[in-house]
Amino acid sequence: MLALVKTAPGPGLELREVPVPEIGINDVLVRIRRTGICGTDLHIAAWDPWAAKTIVPPLVVGHEFVGEIVAVGSNVADFRPGEIVSGEGHVVCGRCRHCLAGRRHLCARTIGLGVGRDGAFAEYVVLPMTNIWHHWPGIDEEVAAIFDPFGNAVHTALAFPLLGEDVLVSGAGPIGLMATAVARHAGARHIVVSEPNATRREIALRMGATVAVDPRERDLREVGRDLGLVEGYDVAMEMSGNAAALRAAIGSMAHGGGVAILGIPTEEISLDVNEIVFKMLTLRGIYGREMYETWYKMTVMLQSGLDITPAITHRFPFREHEAAFAAARSGDAGKVIMDWTA
Ligand code: NAD
Ligand code: ZN
């Protein structure tokens, strides 16, 4: 089969022939139809310091996908060839305290698809049956391809109650954009999106933001005052990984507010802890998705009218992976999809 492979330490990815992965008794083999490019894939392609210390080549990259089951292991009874599925990209140990308690998203021994094991930018991928999500009828295939990052958005957005609340979304990358739509769907009052990139601000407005501001030009507290916020934001979702953005979010919260932190900083961030203490804020780190409550919530929100398609801006056949990665890297794109059926 053809797969996008990190062949050796260093920048770049290569489309090359590799064997179709073999399935164990508990595994499912999926023929890939569409994939989404994630920031993680860009880090691995660029071979930045995180990738250099995390990735062991050769590795098939990619973890956001939708495809069709073509074979199942002898132990697998719940899935059949022909079904359209996506995969939870975190493969958990199944044996630790949290896994046994059903809190699999808290597993400390998680292995990432396309990070710690061969991934989905390929004609076929193998996953344990416990990582397979069978899509309900009527789910758009491109949306199905990005359930993984959509799940990050939903998991973050549901960290604190949103009904009637004033929400700050800092960073309108694909995940911030989807979180904006989820917050609108979930009944937030005002949603202020903070994002330096004008193209992404424009998409944020289409996805339900009350206003989308450039943090280099507008003070977030002032934006809140203009909207008539009583004290500040009730909920913030940090989706940029940027130090100044996290500080600005904390600095503009109302007393008792909740800050859900999904963005991954590249270095240590110093914070004014006094502000956290005296405003009695709750800061919560978010990693991955809940298995499979988040997947359920994504599905039923789509069925009840949530539309995340404006976050998808580019589509490429997989053979044009270089152009697809360039679009994703540009910062001007929303989600970039690669088609593996062509
Ligand atoms: P992205 O890089 O496409 O988006 C980040 C956005 O933040 C960009 O549009 C950028 O312009 C904006 N930004 C930069 N500085 C800012 C500032 N000062 N204020 C406001 N916005 C600013 O990333 P994405 O794919 O949407 O992912 C969002 C973040 O979540 C990234 O940091 C990513 O690494 C992280 N992530 C975390 C998880 C997890 O499980 N915790 C999973 C996936 C991604
Ligand atoms: Zn575990």
Side-chain angles (χ1 to χ4, degrees):
M1 67 170 185
L2 284 168
L4 257 189
V5 186
K6 170 64 75 182
T7 55
L13 293 171
E14 197 184 310
L15 190 65
R16 60 151 68 170
E17 278 290 338
V18 299
V20 173
E22 285 176 21
I23 53 171
I25 58 170
N26 294 316
D27 292 337
V28 172
L29 180 67
V30 178
R31 172 77 172 87
I32 298 293
R33 294 180 61 81
R34 283 180 171 73
T35 57
I37 298 179
C38 170
T40 303
D41 307 318
L42 301 179
H43 292 300
I44 297 173
W47 203 249
D48 68 6
W50 170 82
K53 74 167 193 288
T54 311
I55 304 298
V56 183
L59 176 82
V60 178
V61 300
H63 56 273
E64 303 176 1
F65 73 91
V66 63
E68 179 182 339
I69 295 180
V70 288
V72 299
S74 57
N75 240 2
V76 179
D78 294 334
F79 298 105
R80 278 172 206 82
E83 291 175 346
I84 298 297
V85 299
S86 289
E88 164 57 54
H90 288 184
V91 179
V92 300
C93 80
R95 297 302 309 159
C96 70
R97 171 193 177 171
H98 290 303
C99 282
L100 290 174
R103 298 184 294 262
R104 288 179 282 179
H105 60 291
L106 297 182
C107 179
R109 291 184 232 154
T110 295
I111 295 171
L113 184 67
V115 176
R117 58 185 279 153
D118 279 337
F121 289 175
E123 291 181 285
Y124 297 89
V125 71
V126 159
L127 270 173
M129 62 175 153
T130 46
N131 278 69
I132 299 291
W133 176 262
H134 181 171
H135 284 293
W136 298 14
I139 302 296
D140 176 85
E141 198 167 287
E142 286 188 348
V143 171
I146 57 168
F147 256 47
D148 178 293
F150 177 27
N152 296 136
V154 169
H155 188 16
T156 313
L158 300 182
F160 299 102
L162 294 179
L163 180 61
E165 303 291 21
D166 295 320
V167 176
L168 171 68
V169 176
S170 81
I175 302 180
L177 289 170
M178 291 188 275
T180 300
V182 173
R184 179 55 70 209
H185 186 79
R189 180 173 68 156
H190 293 309
I191 304 169
V192 172
V193 172
S194 171
E195 165 61 56
N197 179 286
T199 307
R200 289 179 161 184
R201 285 201 302 275
E202 191 273 322
I203 304 173
L205 289 173
R206 284 195 277 137
M207 297 194 76
T210 312
V211 289
V213 299
D214 184 339
R216 297 165 301 187
E217 287 170 5
R218 296 293 309 275
D219 179 85
L220 295 175
R221 284 168 297 199
E222 203 180 279
V223 175
R225 273 196 294 275
D226 289 352
L227 286 171
L229 268 51
V230 180
E231 268 181 42
Y233 303 95
D234 304 300
V235 177
M237 302 184 218
E238 206 314 289
M239 304 195 143
S240 73
N242 181 284
L246 179 59
R247 286 194 208 101
I250 290 173
S252 54
M253 299 300 291
H255 278 209
V259 183
I261 306 173
L262 179 92
I264 302 174
T266 49
E267 53 201 39
E268 276 186 17
I269 297 180
S270 67
L271 299 175
D272 180 356
V273 177
N274 277 288
E275 213 155 18
I276 299 170
V277 172
F278 291 115
K279 284 184 176 170
M280 295 156 279
L281 302 179
T282 303
L283 271 62
R284 179 164 164 201
I286 306 285
Y287 183 48
R289 299 142 296 280
E290 280 192 37
M291 296 160 229
Y292 280 83
E293 182 63 7
T294 307
W295 294 74
Y296 177 89
K297 284 274 170 62
M298 286 188 261
T299 303
V300 294
M301 283 194 280
L302 292 172
Q303 289 189 329
S304 56
L306 173 64
D307 182 13
I308 59 161
T309 54
I312 303 171
T313 56
H314 293 68
R315 292 131 182 114
F316 296 89
F318 75 95
R319 288 172 205 281
E320 293 173 25
H321 61 92
E322 281 172 7
F325 271 70
R329 245 189 325 264
S330 74
D332 269 337
K335 207 41 146 170
V336 178
I337 304 277
M338 287 194 288
D339 182 349
W340 291 79
T341 62

